[in-house]
Coordinates of all heavy atoms in Angstrom, one line a residue:
F256 N -12.4 -6.6 21.0 CA -11.2 -7.3 21.3 C -10.3 -6.5 22.2 O -9.8 -7.1 23.2 CB -10.4 -7.6 20.0 CG -9.1 -8.2 20.2 CD1 -8.9 -9.6 20.5 CD2 -7.9 -7.4 20.2 CE1 -7.7 -10.1 20.8 CE2 -6.7 -8.0 20.4 CZ -6.6 -9.3 20.7
C257 N -10.1 -5.2 21.9 CA -9.3 -4.4 22.8 C -9.8 -4.3 24.2 O -9.1 -4.4 25.1 CB -9.2 -3.0 22.2 SG -8.3 -2.9 20.6
A258 N -11.1 -4.2 24.3 CA -11.7 -4.1 25.6 C -11.6 -5.4 26.4 O -11.2 -5.4 27.6 CB -13.2 -3.7 25.5
Y259 N -11.8 -6.5 25.8 CA -11.7 -7.8 26.5 C -10.2 -8.0 26.8 O -9.9 -8.5 27.9 CB -12.1 -8.9 25.6 CG -13.6 -8.9 25.3 CD1 -14.1 -9.3 24.1 CD2 -14.6 -8.6 26.3 CE1 -15.5 -9.4 23.8 CE2 -15.9 -8.6 26.0 CZ -16.4 -9.0 24.8 OH -17.7 -9.0 24.6
Y260 N -9.3 -7.7 25.9 CA -7.9 -7.9 26.2 C -7.4 -7.0 27.3 O -6.6 -7.5 28.2 CB -7.1 -7.7 24.9 CG -5.6 -8.2 25.0 CD1 -5.4 -9.6 24.8 CD2 -4.6 -7.4 25.2 CE1 -4.1 -10.1 24.9 CE2 -3.3 -7.8 25.3 CZ -3.0 -9.2 25.2 OH -1.8 -9.6 25.3
A261 N -7.8 -5.8 27.3 CA -7.3 -4.8 28.3 C -7.8 -5.2 29.7 O -7.2 -4.9 30.7 CB -7.8 -3.4 28.0
D262 N -8.9 -6.0 29.7 CA -9.5 -6.4 31.0 C -8.8 -7.7 31.5 O -9.3 -8.3 32.5 CB -11.0 -6.7 30.8 CG -11.7 -6.8 32.1 OD1 -11.3 -6.1 33.1 OD2 -12.7 -7.5 32.2
G263 N -7.8 -8.1 30.8 CA -7.0 -9.2 31.3 C -7.3 -10.6 30.7 O -6.8 -11.6 31.2
G264 N -7.9 -10.6 29.6 CA -8.2 -11.9 28.9 C -7.0 -12.4 28.1 O -6.1 -11.7 27.8
D265 N -7.1 -13.7 27.8 CA -6.1 -14.3 26.9 C -6.4 -13.9 25.4 O -7.6 -13.7 25.1 CB -6.0 -15.8 27.0 CG -7.2 -16.5 26.4 OD1 -8.3 -16.4 27.0 OD2 -7.0 -17.1 25.4
A266 N -5.4 -13.7 24.6 CA -5.6 -13.2 23.3 C -6.6 -14.0 22.4 O -7.5 -13.5 21.8 CB -4.3 -13.0 22.5
R267 N -6.5 -15.3 22.5 CA -7.3 -16.2 21.7 C -8.8 -16.1 22.1 O -9.7 -16.0 21.3 CB -6.9 -17.6 21.7 CG -7.6 -18.6 20.8 CD -7.7 -20.0 21.3 NE -8.6 -20.8 20.6 CZ -9.9 -20.8 20.7 NH1 -10.5 -20.0 21.6 NH2 -10.7 -21.5 20.0
G268 N -9.0 -16.2 23.4 CA -10.3 -16.1 24.0 C -11.0 -14.7 23.7 O -12.2 -14.7 23.4
C269 N -10.2 -13.7 23.8 CA -10.7 -12.4 23.5 C -11.1 -12.2 22.1 O -12.2 -11.6 21.8 CB -9.7 -11.3 23.9 SG -9.3 -11.2 25.6
A270 N -10.3 -12.7 21.2 CA -10.7 -12.7 19.8 C -12.0 -13.5 19.5 O -12.9 -13.0 18.8 CB -9.6 -13.2 18.9
A271 N -12.1 -14.6 20.1 CA -13.3 -15.4 19.9 C -14.6 -14.7 20.5 O -15.6 -14.6 19.8 CB -13.2 -16.8 20.6
R272 N -14.4 -14.1 21.7 CA -15.5 -13.4 22.3 C -16.0 -12.2 21.5 O -17.1 -11.8 21.5 CB -15.2 -13.0 23.7 CG -15.2 -14.1 24.7 CD -14.9 -13.6 26.1 NE -15.8 -12.6 26.6 CZ -15.6 -11.8 27.6 NH1 -14.4 -11.8 28.2 NH2 -16.5 -10.9 28.0
A273 N -15.0 -11.6 20.8 CA -15.2 -10.3 20.0 C -15.9 -10.7 18.7 O -16.3 -9.7 18.0 CB -13.9 -9.6 19.8
G274 N -15.9 -11.9 18.3 CA -16.6 -12.3 17.1 C -15.6 -12.8 16.0 O -16.1 -13.1 14.9
F275 N -14.4 -13.0 16.3 CA -13.4 -13.5 15.4 C -13.4 -15.0 15.5 O -12.5 -15.6 16.1 CB -12.0 -13.0 15.6 CG -11.9 -11.5 15.3 CD1 -12.0 -10.6 16.3 CD2 -11.7 -11.0 14.0 CE1 -11.9 -9.2 16.1 CE2 -11.6 -9.7 13.8 CZ -11.7 -8.8 14.8
S276 N -14.5 -15.7 15.1 CA -14.7 -17.1 15.4 C -13.9 -18.0 14.5 O -13.6 -19.1 14.9 CB -16.2 -17.4 15.3 OG -16.7 -17.1 14.0
V277 N -13.5 -17.6 13.3 CA -12.7 -18.4 12.4 C -11.2 -18.1 12.7 O -10.8 -16.9 12.7 CB -13.0 -18.1 11.0 CG1 -12.1 -18.9 10.0 CG2 -14.5 -18.4 10.6
M278 N -10.5 -19.1 13.2 CA -9.1 -18.9 13.5 C -8.8 -17.8 14.5 O -8.1 -16.9 14.2 CB -8.3 -18.7 12.3 CG -8.3 -19.9 11.3 SD -7.3 -19.5 9.9 CE -7.0 -21.0 9.2
P279 N -9.4 -17.8 15.7 CA -9.2 -16.7 16.6 C -7.8 -16.5 17.1 O -7.4 -15.4 17.3 CB -10.1 -17.1 17.8 CG -10.4 -18.6 17.7 CD -10.3 -18.9 16.2
Q280 N -7.0 -17.6 17.1 CA -5.6 -17.4 17.5 C -4.8 -16.6 16.5 O -4.1 -15.7 16.8 CB -4.9 -18.8 17.7 CG -3.5 -18.8 18.1 CD -3.4 -18.2 19.6 OE1 -4.2 -18.5 20.4 NE2 -2.4 -17.4 19.8
R281 N -5.1 -16.9 15.2 CA -4.4 -16.2 14.1 C -4.9 -14.7 14.1 O -4.1 -13.8 14.0 CB -4.6 -16.9 12.8 CG -3.9 -16.1 11.7 CD -4.1 -16.8 10.4 NE -3.4 -18.1 10.4 CZ -3.4 -19.0 9.4 NH1 -4.1 -18.8 8.4 NH2 -2.7 -20.1 9.5
N282 N -6.2 -14.5 14.3 CA -6.7 -13.2 14.3 C -6.1 -12.4 15.4 O -5.8 -11.2 15.3 CB -8.2 -13.2 14.3 CG -8.8 -13.4 12.9 OD1 -8.6 -12.7 12.0 ND2 -9.6 -14.5 12.8
A283 N -6.0 -13.0 16.6 CA -5.5 -12.3 17.8 C -4.1 -11.9 17.5 O -3.7 -10.7 17.8 CB -5.6 -13.2 19.0
A284 N -3.2 -12.7 16.9 CA -1.9 -12.4 16.6 C -1.8 -11.2 15.6 O -1.0 -10.3 15.8 CB -1.1 -13.6 16.1
K285 N -2.6 -11.3 14.6 CA -2.7 -10.2 13.6 C -3.1 -8.9 14.3 O -2.5 -7.8 14.0 CB -3.6 -10.5 12.5 CG -3.0 -11.6 11.5 CD -4.0 -11.8 10.4 CE -3.5 -12.8 9.4 NZ -4.4 -13.0 8.3
L286 N -4.1 -8.9 15.2 CA -4.6 -7.7 15.8 C -3.5 -7.1 16.7 O -3.2 -5.9 16.7 CB -5.8 -8.0 16.6 CG -7.1 -8.3 15.8 CD1 -8.2 -8.9 16.7 CD2 -7.6 -7.0 15.1
L287 N -2.8 -8.0 17.5 CA -1.8 -7.5 18.4 C -0.5 -7.0 17.7 O 0.2 -6.3 18.3 CB -1.4 -8.6 19.4 CG -2.5 -8.9 20.4 CD1 -2.1 -10.2 21.3 CD2 -2.8 -7.7 21.3
A288 N -0.4 -7.3 16.5 CA 0.8 -6.8 15.7 C 0.5 -5.4 15.2 O 1.4 -4.7 14.8 CB 1.0 -7.7 14.5
R289 N -0.7 -4.9 15.3 CA -1.1 -3.6 14.8 C -0.9 -2.5 15.9 O -1.3 -2.7 17.0 CB -2.5 -3.6 14.3 CG -2.7 -4.4 13.1 CD -4.2 -4.4 12.6 NE -4.9 -3.2 12.8 CZ -6.3 -3.2 12.7 NH1 -6.9 -4.3 12.4 NH2 -6.9 -2.1 12.9
E290 N -0.2 -1.4 15.5 CA 0.0 -0.3 16.4 C -1.3 0.3 16.9 O -1.4 0.6 18.1 CB 0.9 0.7 15.7 CG 1.2 1.9 16.6 CD 2.0 1.5 17.8 OE1 2.9 0.6 17.7 OE2 1.8 2.1 18.9
D291 N -2.3 0.5 16.0 CA -3.5 1.1 16.5 C -4.2 0.3 17.5 O -4.8 0.8 18.5 CB -4.4 1.4 15.3 CG -4.8 0.2 14.4 OD1 -4.1 -0.8 14.5 OD2 -5.8 0.3 13.7
I292 N -4.2 -1.0 17.4 CA -4.8 -2.0 18.4 C -4.0 -1.9 19.7 O -4.6 -1.8 20.7 CB -4.8 -3.4 17.8 CG1 -5.7 -3.5 16.6 CG2 -5.2 -4.4 18.9 CD1 -7.2 -3.4 16.8
R293 N -2.7 -1.9 19.6 CA -1.9 -1.9 20.9 C -2.1 -0.5 21.6 O -2.2 -0.5 22.8 CB -0.4 -2.1 20.5 CG -0.1 -3.5 20.2 CD 1.4 -3.8 20.1 NE 2.2 -2.8 19.5 CZ 2.5 -2.8 18.2 NH1 2.1 -3.8 17.4 NH2 3.3 -1.9 17.6
S294 N -2.2 0.6 20.8 CA -2.5 1.9 21.4 C -3.8 1.9 22.1 O -4.0 2.5 23.2 CB -2.5 3.0 20.3 OG -1.2 3.1 19.8
E295 N -4.8 1.3 21.5 CA -6.2 1.3 22.1 C -6.2 0.4 23.4 O -6.8 0.8 24.4 CB -7.2 0.8 21.1 CG -8.6 0.7 21.7 CD -9.2 2.1 22.1 OE1 -8.6 3.1 21.9 OE2 -10.4 2.0 22.6
I296 N -5.5 -0.7 23.3 CA -5.4 -1.6 24.5 C -4.7 -0.8 25.7 O -5.2 -0.8 26.8 CB -4.7 -2.9 24.2 CG1 -5.6 -3.7 23.3 CG2 -4.3 -3.6 25.5 CD1 -4.8 -4.9 22.6
S297 N -3.7 -0.1 25.3 CA -2.9 0.6 26.3 C -3.8 1.7 27.0 O -3.8 1.9 28.2 CB -1.7 1.3 25.7 OG -1.0 2.0 26.7
R298 N -4.6 2.4 26.1 CA -5.5 3.5 26.6 C -6.5 2.9 27.5 O -6.8 3.4 28.6 CB -6.1 4.2 25.4 CG -7.0 5.4 25.8 CD -7.8 5.9 24.6 NE -8.9 5.0 24.3 CZ -10.0 4.9 24.9 NH1 -10.2 5.6 26.0 NH2 -10.9 4.0 24.5
L299 N -7.1 1.8 27.1 CA -8.1 1.1 27.9 C -7.5 0.6 29.3 O -8.2 0.7 30.3 CB -8.8 0.0 27.2 CG -9.7 0.4 26.0 CD1 -10.0 -0.8 25.1 CD2 -10.9 1.2 26.5
E300 N -6.3 0.1 29.2 CA -5.7 -0.4 30.5 C -5.5 0.7 31.5 O -5.8 0.6 32.7 CB -4.4 -1.1 30.2 CG -4.5 -2.4 29.5 CD -3.2 -3.0 29.1 OE1 -2.2 -2.3 28.8 OE2 -3.2 -4.3 28.9

Side-chain angles (χ1 to χ4, degrees):
F256 172 80
C257 292
Y259 294 143
Y260 192 80
D262 195 34
D265 71 289
R267 186 207 171 282
C269 293
R272 283 180 63 199
F275 294 95
S276 56
V277 177
M278 298 181 159
Q280 183 68 37
R281 182 177 290 175
N282 280 301
K285 287 181 179 182
L286 289 168
L287 290 173
R289 290 176 37 193
E290 181 61 37
D291 58 340
I292 295 289
R293 290 193 313 269
S294 294
E295 179 64 4
I296 290 168
S297 179
R298 186 189 71 77
L299 290 169
E300 287 173 338

